[in-house]
């Protein structure tokens, strides 16, 4: 099973586009804080690129902006 739950903040405004066949998609990235601090006492974050499709993509473009706190549930794909 490939299921991921992420809670973080948007690092930039979402970008909404459409495929050549007219399917809406939205791209954005989120910063997820780690639960622990590093040796210097600073809390680090991991950054994830997210793609949302269809009606949910249009809603993300309409209601989200840089700095928004969001929760993402989906599957994880690793690309090089």
């Amino acid at each position: 099973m490939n299921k991921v739950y992420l809670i973080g903040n948007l690092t930039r405004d979402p970008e909404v586009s459409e495929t050549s066949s007219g399917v809406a998609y939205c791209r954005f990235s989120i910063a997820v804080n780690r639960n622990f601090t590093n040796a210097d006492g600073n809390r680090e974050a991991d950054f994830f690129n997210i793609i949302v499709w269809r009606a949910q993509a249009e809603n993300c473009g309409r209601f989200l902006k840089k700095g928004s706190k969001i929760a993402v549930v989906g599957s994880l794909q690793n690309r090089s």
Side-chain angles (χ1 to χ4, degrees):
M1 176 168 30
N2 182 1
K3 191 149 199 163
V4 174
Y5 297 88
L6 299 170
I7 299 173
N9 293 16
L10 264 66
T11 60
R12 64 180 192 271
D13 288 334
E15 301 170 11
V16 179
S17 299
E18 286 186 354
T19 64
S20 58
S21 59
V23 178
Y25 67 94
C26 181
R27 295 180 149 204
F28 54 86
S29 64
I30 64 171
V32 177
N33 288 326
R34 293 185 179 178
N35 289 333
F36 53 89
T37 58
N38 61 15
D40 298 328
N42 297 323
R43 189 172 297 268
E44 296 181 0
D46 294 303
F47 297 87
F48 297 92
N49 295 318
I50 310 293
I51 301 175
V52 181
W53 294 92
R54 296 182 177 77
Q56 187 115 29
E58 295 170 358
N59 287 334
C60 287
R62 194 174 302 131
F63 297 112
L64 299 178
K65 62 181 179 173
K66 180 179 177 178
S68 296
K69 174 80 88 180
I70 64 166
V72 176
V73 178
S75 61
L76 185 64
Q77 289 183 344
N78 189 17
R79 298 181 187 160
S80 57

